[in-house]
Amino acid sequence: MATDVHRPVTPKTADPAPGSPARPTPTLAPVHPAPTPASVPHTRAPAAAPASAPHAVHVEGLTRSFDGRPVIDNLRLDVRPGEFVALLGRSGCGKSTLLRILAGLDRDIEGTVLVPRRKAVAFQAPRLMPWKRVWRNVLLGLPGKPERALAERALKEVGLDHRSGAWPKTLSGGEAQRASLARALVREPDLLLLDEPFGALDALTRIKAQRLVDELWQRRGCAVLLVTHDVEEAVLLADRVLVMDEGVIAYETRIDLERPRDITDPRFAELRARLLERLGVDTVAEAA
Amino acid sequence: MSISHAPPDSSPPDTPDASGFAKGGNGVASSRGDAPESPAAPVPAHDVDLGLEPIRPSSSRRTRVPRWLRRTSGPVLLLLLWQILSATGALTPDVLASPGRIARVAGDLIADGSLPSAMGTSLRRVAAGLVLGAVVGTGLALLSGLFRVGEDLVDASVQMLRTVPFVGLIPLFIIWFGIGEAPKVAIITLGVSFPLYLNVYAGIRGVDSQLIEAGESLGLSRWGLVRHVVLPGALPGAMTGLRYSLGIAWLALVFAEQINADAGIGFLMVQARDFLRTDVIVVCLIVYAFLGLLADFIVRSLERLLLQWRPTFTGR
C-alpha cells in the first residue's frame, strides 16, 4: 500500500516537458526518515542541500537496521551528476537496500539522504503492469495527460517501438526489460537506479542490454547507480565501482579504461581480478 | 525412456554415420543408457536396437467426428433414453412426462404468455438482487481491502455473517419485509454479496506487492495506485466472485419464489406441483437451466473483454 510519507520525495511539481538531455545540476530532495511526521511542510526547501560540489546523490551517516541489526551502518556516498557508478557486493550485503532507500521505497532510515526529484528505477524483474499495454506502462505515473507518441519515442530509443501495443505478458524477457528501461527513461531522470536489471536475462540478451544501457547513458547524461553482483558488468559499464561490505562502502576504484571497453584487455582482467579478490573470491588462476 | 548420464565425449564412436544424427553432438543418439564403452570397441549399428517409436503429430490422432457432434451426442442420447422409457410406459407421466409432451407444454406456456411473463418477473428480481448485492459486496470489499480501518471494522462482521446460511433468514425477512418483492430481492442480495465480497477482498489483498512498489517508484499517488495497480489486479478475483454470485442468485431466486410468490417461474412451479403437472415443472427447470447458461455466457464474455491481458490455458 502507498505510504503517505512518500509524497514529500516526489512531488508532482516536476515539469512534464521533455527537456534537453543535457541539464544543469539537479535539485536534490531529501528522503525523509519515516519517523518524521508527514504533516510537516518541509517539502519545498531542501534545507540541507550541500553548497559545495554538485551532487546527484549525497548520502551521509545513513543507517538502516532490520530488527536491530544494522544492514547499512553509517554509510557515506556521493555521486556526481552524469556519473555511472556500479555497486558490487556479496548477496545480502545491503546493496539492494541502499538502492531502495535512494528510490524512496524504504524510509525506516536514519541519516541524510539527498536524491534528485527526477529519478527512476528499473528493477530486476521488469514489473510491468500486465493489464496495461506496453505504451501505457511507459506513461504510467507521468503527470498530466501524456500522449502515446511520447511513449513511442522512449520505446524507439530502446528498440521496442514495434511492440508498443502489445500486452506485457506476450513480451520476451529481454523485451520486457527494455520496456522497463523505456519506462524509466521517459521520466527524463537525473538519477537512474538499476537494480540488477540484467540478472534475469540470458547471456546473449544480457550483452545486448548492457550495450543498450551504455548507449542510453552516454546519450542522456544522467547519473546511474547500477547494483549488480556481476563484476565484469560493473567494470564494463561504470566510471567508478564501489564494493559494499558490512554496511559501508568498503572499497572503491575508478575505471579509467576508454569506452567501448574490451573484456579481453589485460587491464580489464586485472581490475576484475582485484574486485573479485575484494569480494572474497580467489582468482589467482584467472588473473594469471 | 532412458536418458543417460553417459559423458558426451563418448559419442563419436557411438554414432555411426548411418544413424542420421550429426556427429559429435550430444544428441539423443549419443546418450544411451549403458554406454560408457571404450572408444576402442565401437558397436556396429545393427547390434544396437533402441526400440525407436515414432512420435505422431497430434493432428493424425484426432478422430473424424467433429467436436460439436461429440459434445451434443451425450445429451441427445439421454433424451432418447428418456423418450423410450416414457413410450414403453416404464416412466409414467405422473412421475416424469415424456420429452415430447414437455416440448408441447412449453409451446403452450409460451403461446398463452404465462411463461414469458413469469420469466420477466423472475429476471427482474434476479437483476435487482444482483445489482444491490454487487454494490454492497464490492463496496464493503473495497472498504476493507483498501483501508486498514475498513478491514478492522468490516471484515470480522462479514466473516461472521457469512457462516449463517442465508436461506435460513427467509422467515425473518418475511416478518421484516412482508410478502411483496422486498424479501425476495433481499434474499438474493444477501446471497450475492458474500461471494463478491470475499473474492474482491482477496483480489485486492493478493495484488503483487512488487507491482505496487513499482507504481510507487513511478510516482503514482495513492489514488493512482488504487486505480492503475490495485483495482485492475483485483479484477480476476472480482470476476470469479461474480460467477459464484450468479450461481447463488439463481439458487436464492428458487428459494425465494417458492415461498409466498404470486408471479415468476417459482410460482409457476408451485402451482404445477399442486396440480401434479410434472411437465410444467420440468419446463420451469429447463428455463432455470437456460437462464443460468445465459448468465454464464455473459460473465465469460465479460472476462474475455476485461481480462484479455491474461494469457490463459484453453485446453487441448
Side-chain angles (χ1 to χ4, degrees), chain A residues 166-186:
Chain A
W167 293 110
K169 293 217 166 163
T170 64
L171 300 182
S172 70
E175 285 175 333
Q177 200 52 268
R178 277 186 281 160
S180 162
L181 258 179
R183 183 172 69 177
L185 290 173
V186 82

Side-chain angles (χ1 to χ4, degrees), chain B residues 78-167:
Chain B
L78 208 64
L79 217 61
L80 215 65
L81 187 70
W82 181 4
Q83 179 68 53
I84 289 168
L85 285 177
S86 296
T88 54
L91 208 61
T92 53
D94 52 322
V95 174
L96 199 59
S98 72
R101 171 155 179 77
I102 284 164
R104 257 194 319 280
V105 170
D108 292 347
L109 284 176
I110 293 169
D112 71 6
S114 55
L115 188 60
S117 85
M119 267 174 74
T121 311
S122 290
L123 275 175
R124 264 199 303 282
R125 286 175 183 149
V126 169
L130 209 56
V131 168
L132 277 174
V135 169
V136 173
T138 41
L140 288 177
L142 290 177
L143 207 65
S144 61
L146 296 178
F147 308 102
R148 213 154 292 164
V149 185
E151 182 187 7
D152 294 343
L153 288 178
V154 174
D155 194 55
S157 343
V158 175
Q159 297 290 354
M160 195 182 70
L161 286 175
R162 184 173 70 93
T163 57
V164 178
F166 67 93
V167 180

Side-chain angles (χ1 to χ4, degrees), chain A residues 2 6 12 100 127 130-132, chain B residues 210 213 219 228-229 232 309:
Chain A
H6 185 74
K12 288 272 180 186
R100 287 167 49 81
R127 300 199 192 182
W131 42 82
K132 288 183 179 293
Chain B
Q210 290 212 331
E213 211 176 76
H228 295 291
V229 186
W309 48 269

Side-chain angles (χ1 to χ4, degrees), chain A residues 132-279:
Chain A
K132 288 183 179 293
R133 291 184 192 273
V134 169
W135 69 274
R136 286 200 183 275
N137 258 293
V138 171
L139 297 182
L140 187 61
L142 286 178
K145 284 219 180 296
E147 301 218 347
R148 181 170 177 169
L150 183 64
E152 308 237 312
R153 269 203 300 280
L155 284 166
K156 201 179 176 77
E157 224 176 326
V158 298
L160 205 66
D161 44 331
H162 62 293
R163 300 303 305 267
S164 148
W167 293 110
K169 293 217 166 163
T170 64
L171 300 182
S172 70
E175 285 175 333
Q177 200 52 268
R178 277 186 281 160
S180 162
L181 258 179
R183 183 172 69 177
L185 290 173
V186 82
R187 268 138 250 279
E188 303 272 333
D190 292 314
L191 172 64
L192 180 59
L193 299 161
L194 303 174
D195 187 4
E196 299 191 25
F198 317 117
L201 301 180
D202 64 275
L204 289 176
T205 315
R206 189 180 314 155
I207 292 171
K208 282 189 191 161
Q210 285 166 351
R211 281 197 191 140
L212 177 67
V213 164
D214 197 7
E215 265 172 49
L216 292 172
W217 168 71
Q218 299 207 10
R219 198 178 319 143
R220 294 296 189 104
C222 58
V224 177
L225 182 74
L226 168 71
V227 166
T228 179
H229 53 240
D230 183 344
V231 176
E232 207 157 272
E233 181 174 291
V235 179
L236 193 66
L237 294 171
D239 293 325
R240 188 152 61 101
V241 177
L242 314 174
V243 176
M244 204 168 155
D245 195 21
E246 310 259 311
V248 291
I249 307 293
Y251 177 77
E252 73 168 88
T253 180
R254 315 212 117 267
I255 310 287
D256 287 323
L257 305 177
E258 58 282 358
R259 294 168 192 267
R261 288 173 185 161
D262 178 12
I263 54 168
T264 56
D265 187 333
R267 287 176 298 165
F268 191 102
E270 195 225 331
L271 275 165
R272 179 170 169 273
R274 209 162 68 211
L275 283 164
L276 277 171
E277 201 181 328
R278 273 280 157 189
L279 288 161

Side-chain angles (χ1 to χ4, degrees), chain B residues 56 80 86 90 121 132 134 158 160 172 174 192 208 225 237 255 280 287:
Chain B
R56 288 191 193 81
L80 215 65
S86 296
T121 311
L132 277 174
V158 175
M160 195 182 70
L172 205 55
I174 290 173
V192 161
D208 190 351
L225 276 177
F255 279 116
V280 176
V287 169

Side-chain angles (χ1 to χ4, degrees), chain A residues 90-104:
Chain A
R90 269 175 284 198
S91 158
C93 71
K95 55 191 194 299
S96 280
T97 305
L98 177 59
L99 182 131
R100 287 167 49 81
I101 290 169
L102 295 181

Side-chain angles (χ1 to χ4, degrees), chain B residues 237-250:
Chain B
M239 295 315 277
T240 312
L242 185 61
R243 201 178 269 198
Y244 275 118
S245 298
L246 277 171
I248 287 184
W250 293 123

Side-chain angles (χ1 to χ4, degrees), chain B residues 1-276:
Chain B
M1 297 284 103
S2 73
I3 294 167
S4 85
H5 306 284
D9 39 344
S10 73
S11 56
D14 276 356
T15 48
D17 300 333
S19 72
F21 286 98
K23 269 199 156 193
N26 45 3
V28 185
S30 66
S31 53
R32 267 191 322 110
D34 45 352
E37 302 105 334
S38 70
V43 185
H46 48 82
D47 274 9
V48 187
D49 185 13
L50 297 175
L52 301 184
E53 56 180 32
I55 292 177
R56 288 191 193 81
S58 61
S59 58
S60 71
R61 266 189 307 188
R62 263 192 206 130
T63 45
R64 296 276 173 272
V65 189
R67 183 102 195 274
W68 63 269
L69 199 65
R70 273 190 295 161
R71 276 186 75 81
T72 43
S73 58
V76 167
L77 277 175
L78 208 64
L79 217 61
L80 215 65
L81 187 70
W82 181 4
Q83 179 68 53
I84 289 168
L85 285 177
S86 296
T88 54
L91 208 61
T92 53
D94 52 322
V95 174
L96 199 59
S98 72
R101 171 155 179 77
I102 284 164
R104 257 194 319 280
V105 170
D108 292 347
L109 284 176
I110 293 169
D112 71 6
S114 55
L115 188 60
S117 85
M119 267 174 74
T121 311
S122 290
L123 275 175
R124 264 199 303 282
R125 286 175 183 149
V126 169
L130 209 56
V131 168
L132 277 174
V135 169
V136 173
T138 41
L140 288 177
L142 290 177
L143 207 65
S144 61
L146 296 178
F147 308 102
R148 213 154 292 164
V149 185
E151 182 187 7
D152 294 343
L153 288 178
V154 174
D155 194 55
S157 343
V158 175
Q159 297 290 354
M160 195 182 70
L161 286 175
R162 184 173 70 93
T163 57
V164 178
F166 67 93
V167 180
L169 292 175
I170 291 179
L172 205 55
F173 277 27
I174 290 173
I175 294 171
W176 289 349
F177 301 114
I179 54 167
E181 288 301 286
K184 297 176 184 63
V185 173
I187 209 78
I188 297 171
T189 303
L190 194 70
V192 161
S193 307
F194 290 116
L196 264 174
Y197 172 84
L198 290 176
N199 284 286
V200 174
Y201 175 69
I204 290 174
R205 287 302 164 98
V207 171
D208 190 351
S209 61
Q210 290 212 331
L211 292 182
I212 297 206
E213 211 176 76
E216 268 186 315
S217 81
L218 295 173
L220 284 177
S221 63
R222 195 186 169 107
W223 165 238
L225 276 177
V226 169
R227 199 168 91 99
H228 295 291
V229 186
V230 177
L231 291 186
L235 205 55
M239 295 315 277
T240 312
L242 185 61
R243 201 178 269 198
Y244 275 118
S245 298
L246 277 171
I248 287 184
W250 293 123
L251 198 69
L253 179 76
V254 176
F255 279 116
E257 287 192 333
Q258 304 223 344
I259 295 159
N260 277 316
D262 51 10
I265 301 173
F267 169 68
L268 221 57
M269 276 174 86
V270 171
Q271 224 181 10
R273 183 195 63 198
D274 293 345
F275 295 105
L276 294 177

